[in-house]
Amino acid sequence: MASVSTKPPLLSIEGLTISLPTAEGQRAEAVRGVDLAIGRGEIVGLAGESGSGKTLTALSVLGLLPGGARPVGRILFEERDLLASGRAARSVRGAEVAMVFQDPMTALHPMLSIGRQMTEHVRFHLRLSQHAADTVAVEMLDRVRIPNPREAMTRYPHQFSGGMRQRIAIASALAAGPKLLIADEPTTALDVTVQAGILRLIEGLRRELQLSVLLITHDLGVMSALADRVYVMYAGRVVERGARADVLAQPRHPYTRGLLDALPHGSPSDHPLRALPGSPPAIGRFPAGCAFHPRCRFAEDICRADVPDLMPVAPGRAIACPIDPLAAVPA
Amino acid sequence: MSLLSIRDLVVRYRGHSGATVTAVAGCDLDVEEGQIVALVGESGCGKSSLGKAAVGLIRPAAGSVTFDGEPVEPLGQRARPAAQRRLQMVFQDPFSSLNPRRRIADLIGDGLRVSELHGGRQLSVGECLERVGLSAGIADRFPHQFSGGQRQRIAIARALAAQPRCIVADEPISALDASAQASIANLLVSLVDDLKVGLLFISHDLSIVRRIADITTVMYLGRVVETAPSEPLWRAPLHPYSAGLIGAITEPDGRGRMPADLPGDVPDPAAPPPGCRFHPRCPIAIDRCSVEVPERRLLGPGRTAACHLAEPVAAFV
């Protein structure tokens, strides 16, 4: 929940900046000074449009950044700095931190049986025999509600539907008993009915296993169903963070408000959907000052000149907007 | 007769090892001038097959498609008959529907050449671009210079160049970011209002459909299960599948409400369940549902549903 905990968080990202090589031989910062913390058993959502840096932030936790990407800052997992030590990153990856992707077919090898791909990392990380690893995998498949899990172990990914594959990918990610699951758009490729099942599954696993989840999605409806706290990213920076109910029902940053206004929720009325003007900027072309200013209807001179800091405005709540035009405006 | 009228449409594909899959198993659908009709359902329900058959991109196994009083012939090697050129399609992915080697002016020029054949005043490339909210000055640029939302506008401008009377759009916004989705949805609504074209809007996104569609048609495993004006369908769906779809939608209201789970997967269309195709997943199914195929019944003004248990709406006899 959003309560302030005295215990150190499970994961703490501090001042993370990630630069990427550009086509012109320069470097461009894609993630710029991100701070993010996840407590035990907490589901933290990371929202933003394509190119906002949310996926790069997540990949850096696993040490899976694309070649040429250079991360700077600290990523503390149970107080071990994963950026400082390659050994720490390797021992954590797949064992204590696991990931599920948007398309389960990128996580599942099409030519390996479910059993084979679910036990390989379990045997490696937990040093189990094949027999013991099989038992763990069958238990996990059963937990994610795959029918006949023992028989499913002998089948191949193409023999399952998209929703079942995502359940299997989640079971595989959780088989080695990680403390943190990173879920990158886990339901974006699925139908709403299947999505509902996966969201309920993730919520159930959090409760039963005290699992922490970093949920990356551009879908604020999914965010609203699952996340305890929400971070909103734009052009590589966190622009708003706070408890789910605060950020989604009372957005304070104009970008968060714009994202919510563009969604067709609530009952229809005669006025059209309120689209945000323009498109998110590409990496390497982030505008100066507040990167959102060219699309912001409240922008003033200060927004074009200075990069706004993420400032606390209430307990657990922070926004990066110097003029805070929505402070007293009901959503 | 409606502008676009589909009757008893059946679409079959030959699957693996000679098995036949019936993707559309007898569907009726009408689109009138100046009307947005949405076709919704889970992936694999046959909505895209129906859309392709509606514009003649695939040959139906049975049934008829009529546009403007003339039967729509499946496209072959030869050019599309002139009468059908005012029926246009917009595809999901504007990254693959626009030839990357051709300039915007040439892409739109194709549509303009089509409109020459049905006479009347021709639009210019610039007019087509401005109609979709782009500047006429981009005509000599290439598709890769534009974002997804802008490309979808270009694809719509190309369809408009042919001066269509009806547009079939298959998931035209689902490949786009949320803010681009809203602006493309607004654009489609304004085109339908201003130009009085009919729009068949195929989508899996019910919340956008509720906002823009006049009529919503729900498909499940090759069959239409419910058709109704969008607002009453949303408020009080008559078919349990429509109710399941609506209940599964998440709301970004920050309340933390979990969407309702509709258990099970869409069955294999090569071996559909007997009786009502939805009965294995239906929370209220009775014995009759597994035996007898439900007929579509008129249950309210403009409302039909194919469910043995659906009741007529109040005050409708």
Side-chain angles (χ1 to χ4, degrees):
Chain A
M1 301 308 289
S3 59
V4 182
S5 164
T6 48
K7 280 198 287 186
L10 177 69
L11 177 78
S12 173
I13 296 176
E14 295 170 5
L16 178 69
T17 293
I18 302 172
S19 63
L20 298 176
T22 64
E24 295 84 39
Q26 311 284 310
R27 296 196 72 78
E29 288 182 351
V31 172
R32 308 189 284 174
V34 165
D35 296 317
L36 183 147
I38 303 176
R40 282 166 213 275
E42 188 183 39
I43 299 182
V44 169
L46 194 51
E49 287 170 287
S50 39
S52 63
K54 56 193 195 302
T55 294
L56 281 174
T57 301
L59 289 175
S60 70
V61 177
L62 287 152
L64 292 178
L65 287 172
R70 212 178 286 153
V72 180
R74 298 209 301 168
I75 299 178
L76 299 175
F77 184 82
E78 292 188 322
E79 285 150 61
R80 284 165 288 171
D81 189 345
L82 304 185
L83 278 188
S85 154
R87 182 189 292 267
R90 270 195 303 281
S91 72
V92 160
R93 179 167 60 225
E96 293 178 84
V97 184
M99 184 151 181
V100 291
F101 299 85
Q102 175 171 341
D103 176 5
M105 280 316 267
T106 57
L108 299 175
H109 193 299
M111 313 261 305
L112 296 181
S113 70
I114 302 302
R116 169 93 187 272
Q117 50 194 316
M118 280 199 61
T119 54
E120 197 173 35
H121 64 299
V122 176
R123 292 185 60 188
F124 175 80
H125 287 300
L126 305 184
R127 298 177 198 287
L128 294 180
S129 68
Q130 183 66 49
H131 181 75
D134 282 350
T135 309
V136 170
V138 168
E139 262 171 37
M140 217 55 235
L141 287 172
D142 190 41
R143 196 187 275 279
V144 300
R145 296 196 314 185
I146 297 292
N148 307 321
R150 212 161 273 286
E151 192 245 315
M153 295 275 284
T154 64
R155 292 164 71 190
Y156 290 83
H158 75 270
Q159 296 173 290
F160 294 90
S161 68
M164 285 293 168
R165 278 183 211 144
Q166 194 60 295
R167 286 175 184 273
I168 292 168
I170 291 172
S172 182
L174 297 182
K179 294 168 183 149
L180 173 65
L181 177 70
I182 298 176
D184 189 0
E185 304 278 6
T187 61
T188 304
L190 306 174
D191 282 307
V192 281
T193 50
V194 180
Q195 165 172 290
I198 298 287
L199 297 180
R200 285 171 172 265
L201 171 67
I202 294 174
E203 170 60 36
L205 292 167
R206 176 263 283 275
R207 251 182 293 116
E208 291 163 30
L209 307 175
Q210 272 297 296
L211 187 68
S212 304
V213 181
L214 176 58
L215 172 72
I216 299 159
T217 182
H218 71 281
D219 185 333
L220 297 178
V222 167
M223 206 57 102
S224 176
L226 215 47
D228 301 315
R229 289 190 303 121
V230 175
Y231 289 72
V232 181
M233 283 185 78
Y234 188 80
R237 290 205 171 91
V238 174
V239 295
E240 177 156 10
R241 74 173 153 79
R244 170 197 65 220
D246 294 337
V247 173
L248 296 180
Q250 302 277 310
R252 289 269 294 259
H253 196 284
Y255 176 61
T256 315
R257 177 70 173 268
L259 276 182
L260 283 160
D261 281 349
L263 295 176
H265 61 100
S267 66
S269 50
D270 289 332
H271 72 79
L273 295 165
R274 275 173 293 184
L276 264 175
S279 325
I283 293 162
R285 303 219 180 92
F286 293 158
C290 170
F292 184 61
H293 83 256
R295 304 174 75 189
C296 181
R297 60 194 163 109
F298 304 106
E300 296 174 6
D301 287 345
I302 186 176
C303 308
R304 288 173 266 274
D306 297 333
V307 174
D309 287 325
L310 188 64
M311 301 293 285
V313 289
R317 188 85 188 275
I319 63 164
C321 180
I323 53 179
D324 197 4
L326 301 172
V329 182
Chain B
M1 174 72 91
S2 308
L3 180 62
L4 180 69
S5 169
I6 294 169
R7 288 289 171 274
D8 299 321
L9 185 78
V10 178
V11 176
R12 292 206 176 93
Y13 299 104
R14 221 190 309 271
H16 302 295
S17 62
T20 308
V21 176
T22 305
V24 180
C27 285
D28 296 347
L29 193 139
D30 290 281
V31 182
E32 310 285 352
E33 263 178 31
Q35 190 182 51
I36 302 182
V37 176
L39 186 58
V40 301
E42 289 167 282
S43 37
C45 74
K47 57 189 191 299
S48 288
S49 296
L50 188 148
K52 285 183 188 149
V55 294
L57 284 178
I58 47 179
R59 178 181 294 277
S64 67
V65 180
T66 316
F67 169 64
D68 216 359
E70 300 279 332
V72 172
E73 301 292 339
L75 288 177
Q77 300 282 337
R78 263 173 292 158
R80 183 188 278 270
Q84 289 169 29
R85 292 183 187 165
R86 303 189 78 175
L87 175 60
Q88 289 288 318
M89 184 148 187
V90 173
F91 297 91
Q92 172 172 1
D93 181 5
F95 291 81
S96 57
S97 67
L98 300 175
N99 186 337
R101 292 166 179 275
R102 301 184 68 206
R103 293 178 195 275
I104 307 306
D106 299 332
L107 291 166
I108 291 174
D110 290 348
L112 292 173
R113 264 185 285 119
V114 167
S115 77
E116 278 169 25
L117 295 157
H118 48 248
R121 195 187 79 85
Q122 242 191 291
L123 299 168
S124 68
V125 170
E127 280 176 304
C128 294
L129 287 171
E130 279 165 8
R131 193 66 201 76
V132 298
L134 294 171
S135 138
I138 64 162
D140 59 346
R141 290 161 71 179
F142 288 96
H144 77 265
Q145 295 172 284
F146 299 94
S147 69
Q150 289 166 327
R151 285 188 215 206
Q152 198 59 293
R153 285 175 189 271
I154 293 165
I156 293 169
R158 177 175 60 180
L160 288 181
Q163 302 198 5
R165 298 194 58 211
C166 186
I167 296 175
V168 174
D170 188 3
E171 302 274 9
I173 60 169
S174 38
L176 310 174
D177 271 325
S179 54
Q181 285 192 342
S183 66
I184 295 294
N186 287 340
L187 171 65
L188 290 170
V189 170
S190 77
L191 293 176
V192 169
D193 285 350
D194 299 348
L195 307 175
K196 297 290 167 239
V197 296
L199 176 65
L200 177 59
F201 181 84
I202 300 171
S203 177
H204 68 276
D205 185 345
L206 273 125
S207 37
I208 200 104
V209 160
R210 179 193 191 194
R211 282 295 291 257
I212 71 168
D214 302 304
I215 307 286
T216 298
T217 296
V218 183
M219 266 183 96
Y220 184 75
L221 204 61
R223 291 248 166 82
V224 170
V225 297
E226 182 165 2
T227 297
S230 301
E231 193 50 31
L233 180 131
W234 185 283
R235 251 188 293 112
L238 295 176
H239 196 285
Y241 178 62
S242 314
L245 272 185
I246 291 169
I249 292 166
T250 55
E251 286 281 343
D253 54 12
R255 288 201 199 127
R257 186 186 65 90
M258 254 313 154
D261 198 0
L262 179 64
D265 282 316
V266 180
D268 181 358
C276 171
R277 293 175 167 216
F278 183 59
H279 86 262
R281 297 172 78 188
C282 181
I284 58 168
I286 55 172
D287 289 347
R288 183 181 173 201
C289 303
S290 59
V291 190
E292 192 185 326
V293 177
E295 292 292 319
R296 279 177 80 189
R297 292 179 292 139
L298 187 65
L299 296 169
R303 301 195 67 171
T304 61
C307 174
H308 294 308
L309 299 169
E311 304 273 355
V313 299
F316 184 79
V317 184

